[in-house]
Amino acid sequence: MAQIEQSSGGKKKKGAQKKMHIHVDFTPMVDMNMLLITFFMLCTTMIKSQTLSIALPAPPDPEQERTQDNSEVVAETKAITLIIDTERDSEGNVVTDAEGNTNDVIYYYCGFEPTITDTKQVVFNDPEKGLKVDNTVKAEKFLGNDGSKVQGIRKVLHDRNVEVLNKLESFKDQWRRGKITDEEYQEIARQVRNDSTFTNRPAVTVKATPQASWQSVISALDEMQINQISQYRIGTFTPTDSLLIVDYKRRNPAE
């Protein structure tokens, strides 16, 4: 509290002004500051939580045949495996281009995992045995779209799920023109993605090498949403996958 003290000591000349001493007590102000600091500490979010919203794939079919590790048995003609790898420098830092994009490579093969006879040779399924799936390991990148042209791994997934995408195209056009709401389109898309009448819907397994960045994994999950793929899972990177990458680089030394 502020106090004003008037000096009354000593003789003063007639007509002289009285001197006043002002004393300000800051103790209540300190108490108020502490209360305000406590209030803001309790009511202010110090660290904003950063979360990623992921649309989960369709729930497993209880009537679907399953293996010993509780994973679904998928037809070889539907299976496709993506192995994501990210280029890093000698110190383990992610290498980026001039635009700040990471240099990611997606190795992929269709069908079941190629069999390995030893550490030097990879034997792929023989087309003469009647198998319709070429499970030779190939490589692509995250290129997205160039105008209306689909590129990179997006084109691979697009071509594998073209039936679902074609059926959704008419509903997407209605959504763009405002004839159906976003909620209605999302519900229609969910039903179409999970429609069991599409016999060629791909079942994608996404694997990441130890060098793969989180950004590359998120980009792969984004591709699942963009291509309306409902059957996908995150798999474990195995020594066999490492040998497949080594074999691909041996067969394609220029890349």
Side-chain angles (χ1 to χ4, degrees), residues 98-159:
E99 299 179 354
N101 300 318
T102 58
N103 187 13
D104 303 314
V105 180
I106 305 95
Y107 302 94
Y108 72 96
Y109 59 87
C110 302
F112 297 153
E113 185 179 83
T115 57
I116 299 179
T117 56
D118 53 40
T119 58
K120 297 181 180 180
Q121 183 180 10
V122 179
V123 179
F124 299 97
N125 290 342
D126 187 355
E128 296 179 358
K129 295 181 179 179
L131 297 177
K132 299 180 180 179
V133 178
D134 177 16
N135 63 347
T136 304
V137 177
K138 304 177 181 66
E140 280 292 351
K141 292 182 177 294
F142 294 116
L143 298 179
N145 293 0
D146 183 8
S148 60
K149 182 181 178 181
V150 185
Q151 304 179 107
I153 194 64
R154 183 173 300 178
K155 176 173 173 54
V156 176
L157 298 174
H158 178 278
D159 294 344

Side-chain angles (χ1 to χ4, degrees), residues 1 27 44 46-47 61 64 78 92 94 117 119 121 133 146 153 173 188-190 198 201 204 216-217 219 232 237 242:
M1 299 293 291
T27 303
T44 303
M46 305 300 292
I47 300 177
D61 186 354
Q64 176 72 34
K78 293 183 179 181
V94 176
T117 56
T119 58
Q121 183 180 10
V133 178
D146 183 8
I153 194 64
D173 183 63
I188 294 173
R190 186 188 65 81
F198 293 106
R201 288 186 307 165
V204 182
S216 63
V217 176
S219 297
Y232 63 91
F237 183 74
S242 179

Side-chain angles (χ1 to χ4, degrees), residues 52 83-89 92-97 100-106 142 206-222 234:
L52 174 65
I83 306 175
I84 307 170
D85 192 25
T86 302
E87 183 181 354
R88 294 179 180 267
D89 58 21
N93 299 318
V94 176
V95 177
T96 58
D97 57 17
N101 300 318
T102 58
N103 187 13
D104 303 314
V105 180
I106 305 95
F142 294 116
V206 179
K207 298 183 179 182
T209 67
Q211 292 77 28
S213 63
W214 279 108
Q215 180 179 344
S216 63
V217 176
I218 294 173
S219 297
L221 296 179
D222 287 342
I234 303 294

